[in-house]
Amino acid sequence: MNGVAYEHEVEPRLLLVHYLREVLNLTGTMVGCNTSNCGACTVLLDDESVKSCTMLAVQADGQSITTVQGLAENGDWHPMQTAFHENHGLQCGYCTPGMILASVSLLNENPDPSEEEIRESLEGNYCRCTGYENIIKSVQQAAGQTS
Ligand code: FES
Ligand code: FES
């Protein structure tokens, strides 16, 4: 988890998002719908984005997980975090951890996505505030497509 190994015995029914929030106290991962629709709970599982309300904690056994708290390095924000900040890619911030991790996953797979590809890739992440335009600009900046 964010570069640290943890070992816990958990109920087989415990969802990964609840393990993150309630056992590890990593509350940067948000719960929106709990039904795999909104994307607020998105984390990286071995560098691919997953909705952590759709999997059990035990399914993550032995795998590498990154939450929003694990993106910064040596006190420096991840370029995607900087881009969201500079482009006002957030308002209330509720969707933002999931949106940023989904965007990081996109650029891991496709470092130079078109606007359409960005929109398609983020269609599983809902934002009730921004209207999405500044989120798209943020991803484009992180991809080096704008200054
Ligand atoms: S809380 Fe997981 S997708 Fe909404
Ligand atoms: S910034 Fe409020 S839900 Fe996206």
Side-chain angles (χ1 to χ4, degrees):
M1 183 69 60
N2 297 333
V4 179
Y6 293 94
E7 196 173 317
H8 290 105
E9 281 195 19
V10 297
E11 290 270 342
R13 63 183 177 171
L14 183 71
L15 294 174
L16 178 59
V17 67
H18 294 138
Y19 174 71
L20 297 175
R21 291 179 58 85
E22 292 158 24
V23 179
L24 298 185
N25 204 26
L26 291 172
T27 51
T29 303
M30 311 306 273
V31 181
C33 62
N34 242 343
T35 55
S36 81
N37 286 298
C38 75
C41 65
T42 302
V43 298
L44 300 184
L45 182 73
D46 290 335
D47 288 333
E48 282 193 24
S49 64
V50 296
K51 293 178 176 176
S52 59
C53 75
T54 65
M55 63 182 288
L56 299 167
V58 293
Q59 291 177 295
D61 188 21
Q63 302 193 69
S64 165
I65 296 174
T66 305
T67 71
V68 71
Q69 287 100 333
L71 283 179
E73 282 188 19
N74 302 319
D76 293 327
W77 281 346
H78 185 282
M80 191 65 75
Q81 292 174 298
T82 301
F84 269 69
H85 175 67
E86 292 183 353
N87 291 279
H88 308 289
L90 63 142
Q91 288 182 27
C92 80
Y94 202 88
C95 72
T96 309
M99 202 64 88
I100 285 177
L101 287 161
S103 301
V104 168
S105 174
L106 166 64
L107 295 194
N108 284 344
E109 286 173 23
N110 178 4
D112 190 24
S114 66
E115 179 177 337
E116 191 180 344
E117 287 171 330
I118 296 171
R119 288 182 183 275
E120 270 181 22
S121 171
L122 297 181
E123 68 184 3
N125 290 73
Y126 295 170
C127 177
R128 298 186 69 173
C129 304
T130 64
Y132 299 98
E133 291 302 319
N134 289 350
I135 290 173
I136 305 303
K137 284 184 198 163
S138 303
V139 179
Q140 289 171 325
Q141 177 176 313
Q145 296 171 349
T146 59
S147 57

